[in-house]
Amino acid sequence: KQEVTQIPAALSVPEGENLVLNCSFTDSAIYNLQWFRQDPGKGLTSLLLIQSSQREQTSGRLNASLDKSSGRSTLYIAASQPGDSATYLCAVKSSGDKLTFGTGTRLAVRP
Amino acid sequence: EADIYQTPRYLVIGTGKKITLECSQTMGHDKMYWYQQDPGMELHLIHYSYGVNSTEKGDLSSESTVSRIRTEHFPLTLESARPSHTSQYLCASTGQGSLPLHFGNGTRLTVT
């Protein structure tokens, strides 16, 4: 059974800092990995999707990498802003066409 | 931004009431999902559908039921709500292949 872990559970940084969020998964037989952002009381917004054949994806200040063999992905946020404060979740798509979510990293960016 | 809509946004009801949470998407997606999420906790899949007249139970046992009569519509029904059903319910959809999953804004349900 696929299990997804995100470390750290919570993170507080000053504005402008570069930061890395980590996601690890137990079964490397995945189709893709997706990073989401969730604001309090809201749904999830898709940030980046990495196919199993890819190593990384970039969108603006966000860069996600994937090392399938070691079961790890990182989300790099450059020059963090207070508006980046949210919970970030990763999810892996394995066999059966279903996603397994991590519990998320709660990020607070201090002005 | 993805076009997937959930109503109501918030709902407070008494025990024993029947409720239906609505979810609609305008992207023509075949695959639709319902997740349940308690505050600060992970998402749990409770129902999914791969097309019209196709519905399956997810990983988390739920007393709710779903229907998929039209591609764009995937309502979730609780026949008799209980306080243990208090949670946030999130609807999502995606197309065929390895495409991103799009979420609605959720329905926060409170059963008193």
Side-chain angles (χ1 to χ4, degrees), chain B residues 22-59:
Chain B
E22 301 288 349
C23 176
S24 294
Q25 50 92 9
T26 59
M27 297 169 284
H29 286 166
D30 289 323
K31 301 177 185 177
M32 296 189 74
Y33 307 82
W34 276 103
Y35 289 88
Q36 185 174 341
Q37 184 185 34
D38 293 320
M41 304 296 286
E42 62 194 284
L43 279 77
H44 293 284
L45 180 67
I46 51 174
H47 297 284
Y48 61 99
S49 167
Y50 288 162
V52 172
N53 294 326
S54 156
T55 62
E56 300 286 345
K57 288 189 179 295
D59 303 321

Side-chain angles (χ1 to χ4, degrees), chain A residues 1-71:
Chain A
K1 178 191 170 192
Q2 180 74 269
E3 292 180 6
V4 180
T5 304
Q6 291 187 246
I7 294 173
L11 182 63
S12 179
V13 300
E15 181 176 5
E17 193 162 299
N18 302 324
L19 57 101
V20 174
L21 308 181
N22 296 293
C23 171
S24 61
F25 45 95
T26 53
D27 185 352
S28 61
I30 66 170
Y31 294 110
N32 62 45
L33 183 145
Q34 196 167 354
W35 282 94
F36 295 90
R37 167 187 173 137
Q38 186 175 29
D39 292 291
K42 297 283 187 67
L44 280 67
T45 300
S46 179
L47 297 173
L48 290 164
L49 181 145
I50 310 177
Q51 305 293 351
S52 61
S53 59
Q54 296 175 321
R55 298 286 293 187
E56 65 178 325
Q57 281 285 333
T58 298
S59 176
R61 293 182 294 109
L62 305 179
N63 176 275
S65 68
L66 174 64
D67 184 343
K68 200 171 70 163
S69 60
S70 67

